[in-house]
Amino acid sequence: MNFTYYGHSCFSVEIKGTKLLFDPFITPNELANKVVNADTIEADYILVSHGHADHTADLVSIAKRTGAKVICSWEIYEWLGRQQITNVHPMNTGGKWNFGDFTVKVVVAHHSSGLPDGSYGGNPLGFIVSAEEGNFYYSGDTALTLDMQLIPTWAELNFAVLPIGSNFTMDVEDAVRCAAMIKCQQIIGVHYDTFGFIKIDHDQAKKAFADTSCVLHLPKIGETIEVK
């Protein structure tokens, strides 16, 4: 599967030519907007973990331009309706849906979720995406939680996308513990360096994972990597 990083927690995964975009936050991101143009990103589906602006800033514009189906919480579904976005599939924790080329299982994330206009964004979500090519887990913004021990009972993971910046989410140490819980050795780090609160030491982070026989991938913004 091809993974393309757009900065912060925004990325896309291509499955059988179908492009899944996650948590679009590009235009206000000073680390990303000089490298990536949100107006050129392609998407067939947009998966939204929660309502915070650093995960939804470009959601409406990309959804309108591409016509992509948005997968999100019920509350974000209602908010998108007020933005005249109607191609939306609402889900909630514990739910599962087959979208054809892939299946989404929604899992627990421990965080908060307010929308840009101050309205309630529903519970934050994590996603397990399963397809013929393989399976991956995107935790969304979350603390470490014992619920992560359930993940490998639902899917054998090829890779996982985890926040590592601390302050608002898991730090590197907790993400390493998460990798053990979910039984996954290929980890892609997100939600780091964008703001002063979440700066990390890249070499130390990679070593912390390597010490447990895991690989931490930190792709450059705009870079595409193949994850098997």
Side-chain angles (χ1 to χ4, degrees):
M1 286 177 280
N2 287 328
F3 175 101
T4 302
Y5 186 49
Y6 295 119
H8 199 52
S9 295
C10 182
F11 62 93
S12 68
V13 177
E14 187 171 340
I15 298 174
K16 277 191 174 180
T18 299
K19 294 179 173 63
L20 281 62
L21 178 67
F22 292 77
D23 286 353
F25 170 71
I26 298 147
T27 303
N29 181 357
E30 294 182 358
L31 297 183
N33 60 25
K34 298 178 179 63
V35 182
V36 179
N37 184 350
D39 293 334
T40 64
I41 291 176
E42 298 178 356
D44 299 296
Y45 291 84
I46 305 173
L47 289 83
V48 184
S49 67
H50 64 292
H52 289 161
D54 62 328
H55 295 256
T56 61
D58 293 297
L59 171 58
V60 171
S61 63
I62 293 176
K64 283 183 177 178
R65 176 176 55 80
T66 63
K69 181 182 290 292
V70 181
I71 301 169
C72 60
S73 69
W74 178 265
E75 290 79 3
I76 295 176
Y77 161 77
E78 292 183 314
W79 176 77
L80 284 170
R82 297 193 292 273
Q83 321 304 315
Q84 288 74 55
I85 303 295
T86 58
N87 190 15
V88 186
H89 185 101
M91 297 189 73
N92 214 326
T93 311
K96 185 176 180 179
W97 192 266
N98 187 339
F99 289 92
D101 289 334
F102 63 94
T103 298
V104 172
K105 169 77 173 177
V106 179
V107 297
V108 169
H110 282 295
H111 195 58
S112 55
S113 182
L115 285 156
D117 63 1
S119 60
Y120 174 55
N123 289 333
L125 310 176
F127 301 107
I128 301 171
V129 179
S130 300
E132 187 177 328
E133 292 92 329
N135 312 309
F136 66 93
Y137 165 51
Y138 171 44
S139 69
D141 281 11
T142 188
L144 183 70
T145 166
L146 290 176
D147 290 293
M148 291 166 175
Q149 294 176 109
L150 291 169
I151 302 297
T153 71
W154 290 313
E156 183 178 342
L157 300 174
N158 296 75
F159 67 94
V161 183
L162 307 178
I164 58 174
S166 195
N167 197 70
F168 299 113
T169 67
M170 293 189 291
D171 60 7
V172 170
E173 181 181 354
D174 281 352
V176 168
R177 294 172 69 189
C178 171
M181 288 182 184
I182 64 178
K183 299 181 181 179
C184 185
Q185 293 184 307
Q186 298 287 328
I187 306 298
I188 301 174
V190 296
H191 208 280
Y192 65 93
D193 283 359
T194 317
F195 317 112
F197 291 120
I198 58 174
K199 301 282 186 182
I200 68 164
D201 184 308
H202 293 206
D203 291 336
Q204 287 183 3
K206 289 180 178 179
K207 183 180 185 303
F209 279 89
D211 286 346
T212 62
S213 300
C214 292
V215 177
L216 175 65
H217 301 275
L218 299 177
K220 296 178 181 177
I221 294 173
E223 181 181 2
T224 297
I225 61 174
E226 184 178 3
V227 190
K228 297 180 181 180

